[in-house]
């Protein structure tokens, strides 16, 4: 089994001493246990705390684990209305630790593992979700030409491209036949809406657990995990938020299913979408069920890849990877249900 739990600390320290101004050891390394994609480590020195994010070792699917893209997009967003960590350097030399990696600041703050935020007050829950909405609208309002990201994704219909890409990724990591997934992929091709011309930066995995908030307040300090970001259609990100909320509440599902949202200070799907549209000057969104179905499909394809890596011995967190992988058929069925609702 390939070891993704440790890091060649001596090699990292030597490299940073030579290439990162102000870096000075000794360095204490701790692996973050969250996430399934790119192994991530805290590097703590007497003067500063950094984060190292690397590609996992082993044979990887083409275009997956793109830490170089993560570095580029966050560097481009520095100083924008989208809060990101400060990027320091990208090492593309695999010989240093065995795979590409980048170094960014460690952002102090708090992270919410589930959107219901059970430990917060009703008022603060409402403020955090509204801030999440603000950041999403700001992300989709970034002038991609001005920040140098106009070539960050290809031209053309985003959903056509994404359905094709993730269908190929899914087939490449398929471990069993799942009829609902086959039906969903066919439906996403046959029912695709006409392109409305919107072309923005999209995060690709926009969830509350990929955000760091002020330690005592409700402002967002940084959006994390940009691996799936590209230039595409903003409704995919919006639908991804709504998708998570359909899942069961609690630390496993990390959704809002079955909760009395109004009593908790949490918005309905419709309220969140309306607030987003108001921020972007949109009158509304037709056929939202398609975008929601697409996000369930993409998540099913992603977690199928997680499962395949676990079976191949390359998962960052093998036990969780196996557990998550079992939900591929569930996500596929949710996707079909969303399409039917329209």
């Amino acid at each position: 089994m390939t070891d993704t739990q440790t890091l060649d600390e001596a090699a990292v320290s030597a490299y940073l001493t030579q290439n990162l101004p102000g870096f000075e050891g000794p360095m204490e390394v701790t692996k973050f246990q969250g996430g399934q994609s790119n192994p991530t480590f805290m590097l703590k020195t007497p003067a500063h705390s950094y984060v190292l994010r690397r590609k996992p070792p082993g044979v990887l699917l083409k275009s997956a684990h793109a830490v170089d893209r993560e570095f580029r997009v966050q560097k481009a967003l520095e100083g924008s209305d989208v809060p990101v960590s400060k990027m320091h350097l990208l090492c593309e030399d695999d010989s240093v630790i065995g795979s590409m990696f980048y170094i960014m600041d460690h952002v102090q703050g708090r992270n919410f593992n589930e959107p219901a935020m059970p430990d917060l007050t009703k008022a603060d829950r409402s403020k955090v979700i509204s801030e999440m909405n603000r950041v999403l609208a700001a992300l989709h309002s970034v002038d991609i030409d001005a920040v140098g990201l106009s070539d960050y994704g290809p031209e053309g219909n985003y959903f056509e491209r994404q359905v094709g890409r993730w269908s190929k990724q899914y087939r490449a990591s398929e471990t069993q036949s799942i009829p609902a997934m086959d039906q969903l992929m066919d439906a996403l091709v046959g029912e695709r809406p006409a392109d409305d011309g919107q072309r923005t930066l999209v995060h690709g995995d926009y969830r509350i657990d990929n955000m760091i908030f002020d330690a005592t307040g409700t402002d967002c300090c940084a959006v994390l995990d940009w691996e799936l970001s590209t230039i595409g259609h903003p409704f995919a990100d919006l639908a991804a938020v709504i998708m998570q909320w359909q899942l069961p509440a609690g630390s496993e599902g990390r959704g809002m299913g079955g909760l009395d949202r109004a009593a908790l200070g949490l918005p309905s799907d419709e309220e969140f979408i309306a607030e987003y549209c108001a921020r972007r000057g949109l009158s509304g969104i037709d056929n939202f069920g398609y975008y929601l179905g697409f996000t369930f499909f993409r998540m099913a394809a992603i977690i199928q890849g997680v499962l395949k890596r676990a079976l191949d011995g390359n998962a960052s967190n093998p036990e969780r990877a196996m557990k998550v992988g079992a939900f591929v058929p569930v996500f596929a069925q949710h996707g079909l249900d969303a399409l039917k609702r329209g």
Side-chain angles (χ1 to χ4, degrees):
M1 179 180 289
T2 304
D3 185 9
T4 65
Q5 307 302 313
T6 60
L7 195 65
D8 187 336
E9 296 180 23
V12 171
S13 185
Y15 181 85
L16 297 185
T17 299
Q18 290 185 334
N19 295 280
L20 180 56
F23 178 85
E24 188 174 341
M27 180 181 75
E28 180 183 337
V29 177
T30 309
K31 184 177 187 292
F32 290 99
Q33 290 304 312
Q36 284 299 312
S37 186
N38 296 318
T40 307
F41 300 83
M42 165 84 88
L43 313 180
K44 194 170 186 178
T45 71
H48 204 81
S49 292
Y50 306 93
V51 170
L52 181 152
R53 206 157 145 83
R54 67 177 294 180
K55 277 192 175 186
V59 179
L60 306 174
L61 292 173
K62 184 182 177 183
S63 80
H65 311 282
V67 296
D68 50 340
R69 286 177 62 83
E70 283 193 357
F71 180 86
R72 179 187 172 188
V73 67
Q74 290 173 95
K75 186 77 172 173
L77 289 172
E78 190 173 323
S80 74
D81 289 335
V82 182
V84 290
S85 176
K86 179 176 176 55
M87 298 294 109
H88 288 291
L89 61 84
L90 172 69
C91 176
E92 300 179 270
D93 182 355
D94 288 354
S95 70
V96 178
I97 63 168
S99 62
M100 185 188 303
F101 68 90
Y102 69 88
I103 302 292
M104 62 182 173
D105 268 354
H106 175 250
V107 178
Q108 296 284 352
R110 54 181 174 173
N111 174 251
F112 302 110
N113 191 47
E114 49 184 299
M117 300 172 282
D119 295 333
L120 266 59
T121 64
K122 179 178 179 179
D124 278 356
R125 286 190 199 105
S126 180
K127 289 176 183 176
V128 167
I129 296 295
S130 185
E131 172 72 346
M132 186 181 181
N133 191 293
R134 181 199 69 77
V135 172
L136 185 61
L139 169 63
H140 297 154
S141 301
V142 168
D143 185 333
I144 57 177
D145 295 322
V147 300
L149 291 175
S150 56
D151 65 341
Y152 192 62
E155 301 278 353
N157 190 303
Y158 172 76
F159 291 103
E160 179 179 11
R161 187 170 85 236
Q162 286 283 298
V163 170
R165 173 195 172 183
W166 287 107
S167 294
K168 288 177 183 176
Q169 297 277 52
Y170 173 75
R171 293 301 186 198
S173 56
E174 193 172 14
T175 53
Q176 62 175 319
S177 175
I178 301 175
M181 194 64 171
D182 297 333
Q183 295 171 34
L184 181 55
M185 287 189 285
D186 288 342
L188 288 170
V189 172
E191 300 177 26
R192 187 177 64 243
D195 195 343
D196 62 4
Q198 291 194 68
R199 189 171 186 268
T200 71
L201 178 62
V202 293
H203 181 273
D205 196 16
Y206 194 78
R207 308 192 310 256
I208 199 165
D209 47 306
N210 279 334
M211 306 174 78
I212 301 293
F213 289 85
D214 185 88
T216 57
T218 56
D219 289 343
C220 178
C221 301
V223 180
L224 308 175
D225 200 358
W226 291 83
E227 183 199 341
L228 300 176
S229 61
T230 187
I231 302 302
H233 201 290
F235 294 166
D237 275 345
L238 178 61
V241 174
I242 304 303
M243 176 202 75
Q244 183 182 14
W245 292 358
Q246 313 309 304
L247 303 180
S251 59
E252 283 297 316
R254 295 186 293 180
M256 294 188 192
L259 297 180
D260 183 344
R261 295 196 203 174
L264 294 170
L266 299 166
S268 66
D269 295 347
E270 294 74 19
E271 287 168 341
F272 189 85
I273 293 168
E275 182 179 348
Y276 169 87
C277 287
R279 291 184 189 278
R280 292 199 57 226
L282 304 173
S283 59
I285 300 174
D286 293 329
N287 198 16
F288 189 77
Y290 181 89
Y291 309 116
L292 186 57
F294 163 76
T295 57
F296 274 116
F297 152 73
R298 182 176 58 187
M299 186 54 66
I302 289 170
I303 61 178
Q304 179 63 43
V306 169
L307 175 62
K308 183 67 159 60
R309 285 198 302 279
L311 294 172
D312 290 346
N314 292 322
S316 178
N317 186 334
E319 183 180 350
R320 177 161 175 78
M322 295 295 288
K323 187 181 292 186
V324 167
F327 283 92
V328 176
V330 178
F331 276 81
Q333 188 57 53
H334 276 311
L336 284 175
D337 293 343
L339 281 177
K340 290 173 186 173
R341 289 195 302 268

